[in-house]
Amino acid sequence: MNGALKKDLLNILAREKELYQRLFSIAETKKQALIDNDLNQIVKTVESDREVIKEIEAAEAERKAKIELIKTEFELELSKDSYSELIAHLPADWKNDLEPLRADLVELTDQFQQLNHQNELLLKQALELNKLSFETIMQKIKDQDSTYSQQDKNKKEQPRIINRQG
């Protein structure tokens, strides 16, 4: 049973690593789309994000369930549900197999968080630029609005040969 549990957990962690790599790739594409101001690509990446995040959540739930089975199998009572504490209470061969995957996942999630932070800053800058552009356009329209301005209306009147006065 122990060997099957370890193999299952390793498979789940490998799948999570692959999903996070896909999510990181999507975030890189999103960053370029933000830089290029490519709205269509941004929408596509957001849709892809959602799909991969659903898969990550499912894998995470599966991993948590598997860890509960492992805790039961090894009769472990942990003070906190941390991965490192779990590994510390498992046989050495488990640690040797699980630790490299854990290290890869931690590094990948750290890189993803940094990239996500950069994307957030780019998005804020794009929103500020769009707000400034919108305000500039609105001010320009307001300044040139001749529909309600009597002075501009008088300027636009055509000279008339015959007018009402005579």
Side-chain angles (χ1 to χ4, degrees), residues 127-143:
L127 288 172
E128 283 298 317
L129 181 62
N130 285 339
K131 180 181 174 188
L132 180 63
S133 296
F134 180 74
E135 288 172 353
T136 302
I137 290 168
M138 291 306 295
Q139 187 61 45
K140 186 82 169 158
I141 289 171
K142 194 184 237 184
D143 291 347

CSV table of all heavy atoms in Angstrom, one decimal, residues 127-143:
chain,number,residue,atom,x,y,z
A,127,LEU,N,-4.2,50.8,-17.5
A,127,LEU,CA,-5.5,51.4,-17.1
A,127,LEU,C,-5.3,52.9,-16.9
A,127,LEU,O,-6.1,53.7,-17.3
A,127,LEU,CB,-6.0,50.8,-15.8
A,127,LEU,CG,-6.6,49.4,-16.0
A,127,LEU,CD1,-6.9,48.8,-14.6
A,127,LEU,CD2,-7.8,49.4,-16.9
A,128,GLU,N,-4.1,53.3,-16.3
A,128,GLU,CA,-3.9,54.7,-16.1
A,128,GLU,C,-3.7,55.5,-17.4
A,128,GLU,O,-4.2,56.6,-17.6
A,128,GLU,CB,-2.6,54.9,-15.2
A,128,GLU,CG,-2.8,54.7,-13.8
A,128,GLU,CD,-3.8,55.6,-13.1
A,128,GLU,OE1,-3.7,56.8,-13.4
A,128,GLU,OE2,-4.6,55.1,-12.4
A,129,LEU,N,-3.0,54.8,-18.4
A,129,LEU,CA,-2.8,55.4,-19.7
A,129,LEU,C,-4.2,55.6,-20.4
A,129,LEU,O,-4.5,56.6,-21.0
A,129,LEU,CB,-1.9,54.6,-20.5
A,129,LEU,CG,-1.6,55.1,-21.9
A,129,LEU,CD1,-0.9,56.4,-21.9
A,129,LEU,CD2,-0.7,54.1,-22.7
A,130,ASN,N,-5.0,54.5,-20.3
A,130,ASN,CA,-6.4,54.6,-20.9
A,130,ASN,C,-7.2,55.7,-20.3
A,130,ASN,O,-7.9,56.4,-20.9
A,130,ASN,CB,-7.1,53.3,-20.9
A,130,ASN,CG,-6.5,52.3,-21.9
A,130,ASN,OD1,-5.9,52.7,-22.8
A,130,ASN,ND2,-6.7,51.0,-21.6
A,131,LYS,N,-7.1,55.8,-18.9
A,131,LYS,CA,-7.9,56.9,-18.2
A,131,LYS,C,-7.4,58.2,-18.7
A,131,LYS,O,-8.2,59.1,-18.9
A,131,LYS,CB,-7.7,56.7,-16.7
A,131,LYS,CG,-8.4,57.7,-15.9
A,131,LYS,CD,-8.1,57.5,-14.4
A,131,LYS,CE,-8.7,58.6,-13.6
A,131,LYS,NZ,-8.4,58.5,-12.2
A,132,LEU,N,-6.1,58.4,-18.8
A,132,LEU,CA,-5.5,59.7,-19.2
A,132,LEU,C,-5.9,60.0,-20.6
A,132,LEU,O,-6.3,61.2,-20.9
A,132,LEU,CB,-4.0,59.7,-19.1
A,132,LEU,CG,-3.3,61.0,-19.5
A,132,LEU,CD1,-3.7,62.1,-18.6
A,132,LEU,CD2,-1.8,60.7,-19.4
A,133,SER,N,-5.9,59.0,-21.5
A,133,SER,CA,-6.3,59.2,-22.9
A,133,SER,C,-7.8,59.6,-23.0
A,133,SER,O,-8.2,60.5,-23.7
A,133,SER,CB,-6.1,58.0,-23.7
A,133,SER,OG,-4.7,57.6,-23.7
A,134,PHE,N,-8.6,58.9,-22.2
A,134,PHE,CA,-10.0,59.2,-22.2
A,134,PHE,C,-10.3,60.6,-21.7
A,134,PHE,O,-11.1,61.4,-22.3
A,134,PHE,CB,-10.8,58.2,-21.3
A,134,PHE,CG,-12.2,58.4,-21.2
A,134,PHE,CD1,-13.1,58.1,-22.3
A,134,PHE,CD2,-12.8,58.9,-20.1
A,134,PHE,CE1,-14.4,58.3,-22.2
A,134,PHE,CE2,-14.2,59.1,-20.0
A,134,PHE,CZ,-15.0,58.8,-21.1
A,135,GLU,N,-9.6,61.0,-20.6
A,135,GLU,CA,-9.8,62.4,-20.1
A,135,GLU,C,-9.4,63.4,-21.0
A,135,GLU,O,-10.0,64.5,-21.2
A,135,GLU,CB,-9.1,62.5,-18.7
A,135,GLU,CG,-9.7,61.7,-17.6
A,135,GLU,CD,-8.8,61.7,-16.3
A,135,GLU,OE1,-7.7,62.2,-16.4
A,135,GLU,OE2,-9.3,61.2,-15.3
A,136,THR,N,-8.3,63.2,-21.7
A,136,THR,CA,-7.8,64.1,-22.7
A,136,THR,C,-8.8,64.2,-23.9
A,136,THR,O,-9.0,65.3,-24.3
A,136,THR,CB,-6.4,63.6,-23.3
A,136,THR,OG1,-5.5,63.5,-22.2
A,136,THR,CG2,-5.8,64.6,-24.3
A,137,ILE,N,-9.3,63.1,-24.4
A,137,ILE,CA,-10.3,63.2,-25.4
A,137,ILE,C,-11.5,63.9,-25.0
A,137,ILE,O,-12.0,64.7,-25.7
A,137,ILE,CB,-10.6,61.7,-25.9
A,137,ILE,CG1,-9.4,61.1,-26.6
A,137,ILE,CG2,-11.9,61.7,-26.8
A,137,ILE,CD1,-9.5,59.6,-26.8
A,138,MET,N,-12.0,63.6,-23.8
A,138,MET,CA,-13.2,64.3,-23.3
A,138,MET,C,-13.0,65.8,-23.2
A,138,MET,O,-13.8,66.6,-23.5
A,138,MET,CB,-13.6,63.7,-22.0
A,138,MET,CG,-14.2,62.3,-22.1
A,138,MET,SD,-15.5,62.1,-23.3
A,138,MET,CE,-16.8,63.1,-22.5
A,139,GLN,N,-11.8,66.2,-22.7
A,139,GLN,CA,-11.5,67.6,-22.6
A,139,GLN,C,-11.4,68.3,-24.0
A,139,GLN,O,-11.9,69.4,-24.2
A,139,GLN,CB,-10.2,67.8,-21.8
A,139,GLN,CG,-9.9,69.3,-21.5
A,139,GLN,CD,-10.9,69.9,-20.6
A,139,GLN,OE1,-11.4,69.3,-19.6
A,139,GLN,NE2,-11.4,71.1,-21.0
A,140,LYS,N,-10.8,67.6,-24.9
A,140,LYS,CA,-10.7,68.1,-26.3
A,140,LYS,C,-12.1,68.3,-26.9
A,140,LYS,O,-12.4,69.3,-27.5
A,140,LYS,CB,-9.9,67.1,-27.1
A,140,LYS,CG,-9.6,67.6,-28.5
A,140,LYS,CD,-8.4,68.6,-28.5
A,140,LYS,CE,-8.0,68.8,-29.9
A,140,LYS,NZ,-7.2,70.0,-30.0
A,141,ILE,N,-13.0,67.3,-26.7
A,141,ILE,CA,-14.4,67.4,-27.1
A,141,ILE,C,-15.1,68.6,-26.5
A,141,ILE,O,-15.8,69.4,-27.1
A,141,ILE,CB,-15.2,66.1,-26.9
A,141,ILE,CG1,-14.6,65.0,-27.8
A,141,ILE,CG2,-16.6,66.3,-27.1
A,141,ILE,CD1,-15.1,63.6,-27.5
A,142,LYS,N,-14.9,68.7,-25.2
A,142,LYS,CA,-15.5,69.8,-24.4
A,142,LYS,C,-15.0,71.2,-25.0
A,142,LYS,O,-15.8,72.1,-25.1
A,142,LYS,CB,-15.2,69.7,-23.0
A,142,LYS,CG,-16.0,70.5,-22.0
A,142,LYS,CD,-15.5,70.3,-20.6
A,142,LYS,CE,-16.6,69.8,-19.7
A,142,LYS,NZ,-16.1,69.8,-18.3
A,143,ASP,N,-13.7,71.3,-25.2
A,143,ASP,CA,-13.2,72.5,-25.7
A,143,ASP,C,-13.7,72.9,-27.1
A,143,ASP,O,-13.8,74.0,-27.5
A,143,ASP,CB,-11.6,72.4,-25.7
A,143,ASP,CG,-11.0,72.4,-24.3
A,143,ASP,OD1,-11.8,72.7,-23.4
A,143,ASP,OD2,-9.8,72.1,-24.2
